[in-house]
Amino acid sequence: MAGDAPLLERLARMPPVSAAEALTLFERVAELQGDPVIGPLFGVDEEGDTVVSPLVPTVLQQFQDKAELTCYGALLEGLTGVWNAAVRAAVVTRLRAAGLPPDDLLLRLQALSPTLGFKTEKPAWAREWLADPFAQDTLLVQQCVVRMLLALRTLAETRAAELTTHEG
């Protein structure tokens, strides 16, 4: 395994796959609940009908609205969102443990890193986030995870097609 290229490098070498292709994924996967990657996003209600996590339609709509978005790009966006939430949580924990008051905490966060989102967002969002970072980032992280799972599963379908298509 030492000679294997890292996953992101291998994925980056694949031909671009539109993120909107995730919309057709549900037509190709026979039993969505049984899929090891996206199965947890689906369930069955009391009547035996398939139910879907409310985050799936939201993410699929985002995929559809951004015609230029590739699955690889969606995967990176998802990873970036989770990373930013993790770093924000770690930084706030450390700064609060050091006894920094909330207003100073916000200023410090804005100065630390533009990628944490505090400089680009409205001050009201930053204050809401500081009041309850868990509630503010939980939905973001969940959406990012759904984004990553749908993008990876769609890329996997493309790779499976390459591996199982035999020329003449």
Side-chain angles (χ1 to χ4, degrees):
M1 198 129 120
D4 283 348
L7 175 64
L8 289 178
E9 279 183 38
R10 287 184 285 159
L11 294 175
R13 284 189 232 147
M14 287 181 64
V17 176
S18 170
E21 280 290 312
L23 296 166
T24 64
L25 182 62
F26 307 121
E27 297 166 4
R28 292 189 302 262
V29 177
E31 291 188 30
L32 294 170
Q33 300 90 339
D35 188 271
V37 177
I38 61 173
L41 302 174
F42 299 90
V44 178
D45 65 14
E46 296 84 30
E47 289 85 40
D49 296 325
T50 300
V51 293
V52 63
S53 162
L55 296 172
V56 171
T58 301
V59 171
L60 288 174
Q61 186 64 51
Q62 292 168 357
F63 283 6
Q64 192 172 20
D65 291 346
K66 292 172 117 179
E68 74 285 353
L69 183 63
T70 64
C71 284
Y72 184 74
L75 176 63
L76 291 180
E77 285 178 359
L79 284 170
T80 301
V82 172
W83 172 252
N84 286 344
V87 172
R88 278 193 296 263
V91 168
V92 167
T93 298
R94 287 173 174 262
L95 293 177
R96 281 188 174 155
L100 208 58
D103 286 340
D104 292 342
L105 181 65
L106 182 58
L107 292 172
R108 185 83 183 272
L109 286 168
Q110 289 171 333
L112 284 175
S113 175
T115 61
L116 293 181
F118 290 104
K119 281 189 173 185
T120 58
E121 296 293 338
K122 295 181 174 108
W125 177 87
R127 288 194 187 285
E128 284 176 25
W129 188 91
L130 277 175
D132 190 358
F134 176 80
Q136 297 298 321
D137 272 347
T138 298
L139 182 59
L140 167 71
V141 168
Q142 290 172 349
Q143 285 180 341
C144 287
V145 169
V146 169
R147 175 179 292 268
M148 290 185 301
L149 292 175
L150 291 173
L152 275 172
R153 188 61 176 87
T154 304
L155 283 167
E157 281 294 315
T158 301
R159 182 67 177 137
E162 289 175 0
L163 292 171
T164 56
T165 302
H166 301 286
E167 292 183 16

